[in-house]
Amino acid sequence: MTPAPKIAVDHLGITVPDLDEAIAFFVDVFGFDVVLQAGPYDDFGYVWPGNDGPEKASLQLAVLKLGETLAARDDIKVLAPVQVEGGGPLDGLIWSYSLTSFGVVIELIRWRPGLAYEATSTHHRLVPPPWLRDAVTP
């Protein structure tokens, strides 16, 4: 039997009040690279069930590629100290929540393969982060 392929999230969309401010934040804090910017596109709203057309909305977008850094900044509010899970299925997982100046809460998680949940799961696994993929055997 062929093992199931590892699957990761392709992209994440975040609605922000000011696209330029959000781009600057993600580039500066996380080291993202701007791949492209597009729009505005008008009448881009969702078509709700029972409606004939999309709701009135305009869309501007930016596609960013994840970088390799995390910078300290005065405009990020750490909502809780870094937490380390002790016991349970996520034993050893490290996480933290921060609030950006434009109102987006960001959850940062760091983990290594071999979390306790894997002992009771025969095939479901978190996909290793890029910096660990070469070190993990499939």
Side-chain angles (χ1 to χ4, degrees):
M1 176 182 242
T2 305
K6 292 182 179 179
I7 299 173
V9 172
D10 175 69
H11 73 277
L12 168 70
I14 301 173
T15 301
V16 297
D18 183 317
L19 184 60
D20 292 330
E21 180 183 4
I23 290 169
F25 175 86
F26 286 102
V27 166
D28 187 39
V29 174
F30 295 109
F32 277 74
D33 295 317
V34 178
V35 176
L36 66 93
Q37 286 185 255
Y41 301 105
D42 294 324
D43 295 324
F44 195 81
Y46 180 74
V47 179
W48 293 98
N51 288 357
D52 294 332
E55 63 186 341
K56 291 284 186 192
S58 181
L59 170 77
Q60 288 183 285
L61 65 93
V63 176
L64 306 166
K65 180 180 175 229
L66 185 57
E68 298 291 331
T69 188
L70 176 59
R73 291 175 48 133
D74 293 335
D75 60 346
I76 298 171
K77 180 180 180 183
V78 176
L79 299 177
V82 173
Q83 303 290 313
V84 179
E85 290 293 323
L90 298 176
D91 185 41
L93 182 125
I94 299 169
W95 59 273
S96 177
Y97 287 100
S98 298
L99 178 65
T100 68
S101 60
F102 48 92
V104 172
V105 174
I106 297 176
E107 178 185 37
L108 300 173
I109 299 175
R110 186 174 70 194
W111 60 273
R112 292 193 180 275
L115 291 174
Y117 82 92
E118 293 180 6
T120 59
S121 173
T122 58
H123 64 282
H124 293 292
R125 297 287 184 271
L126 295 170
V127 177
W131 52 270
L132 265 181
R133 287 189 187 139
D134 293 337
V136 176
T137 55

